Amino acid sequence: MEVLETKNQDQPKQTIVINQQPVPRSNGLGTAGFVLALIALFLGWVPFLGWIIWLLGLIFSACGMFKPPRGLAIAGLVISLIGIILLLVVFEH
């Protein structure tokens, strides 16, 4: 009776390289707040619609500040705050 012995030396070595691309992260609330803030810049003079859009932009941008990436959320928050301050100054007089 013969016993066959197999060795790993007979088989070629293989190297497996797994190249995974990082998944781009997005912040839907921050993006929505930024877009609404930009739209509100152009529609801010419309009495009711502009105010609602500005307020929604402020709320969405503020909520988007808690998720990374925060870039568009910060921009939307700044635009919304400046817009609301302008609305208060213009309509106060």
Side-chain angles (χ1 to χ4, degrees):
M1 180 179 226
E2 282 184 24
V3 176
L4 296 176
E5 187 174 324
T6 59
K7 296 182 180 179
N8 289 337
Q9 296 172 355
D10 296 338
Q11 298 175 354
K13 294 184 180 180
Q14 292 182 345
T15 302
I16 299 173
V17 177
I18 299 174
N19 188 9
Q20 293 181 340
Q21 297 291 333
V23 177
R25 298 178 63 141
S26 64
N27 185 348
L29 284 174
T31 304
F34 177 71
V35 169
L36 286 173
L38 284 180
I39 291 172
L41 280 176
F42 296 106
L43 296 178
W45 56 272
V46 178
F48 188 70
L49 182 64
W51 302 338
I52 298 272
I53 292 176
W54 237 310
L55 186 62
L56 286 175
L58 179 69
I59 292 170
F60 286 166
S61 294
C63 291
M65 291 291 293
F66 297 106
K67 288 179 52 180
R70 294 180 175 92
L72 288 177
I74 292 171
L77 191 64
V78 168
I79 293 171
S80 294
L81 287 174
I82 290 172
I84 288 178
I85 290 170
L86 288 174
L87 279 174
L88 292 175
V89 168
V90 168
F91 287 105
E92 183 179 311
H93 294 238

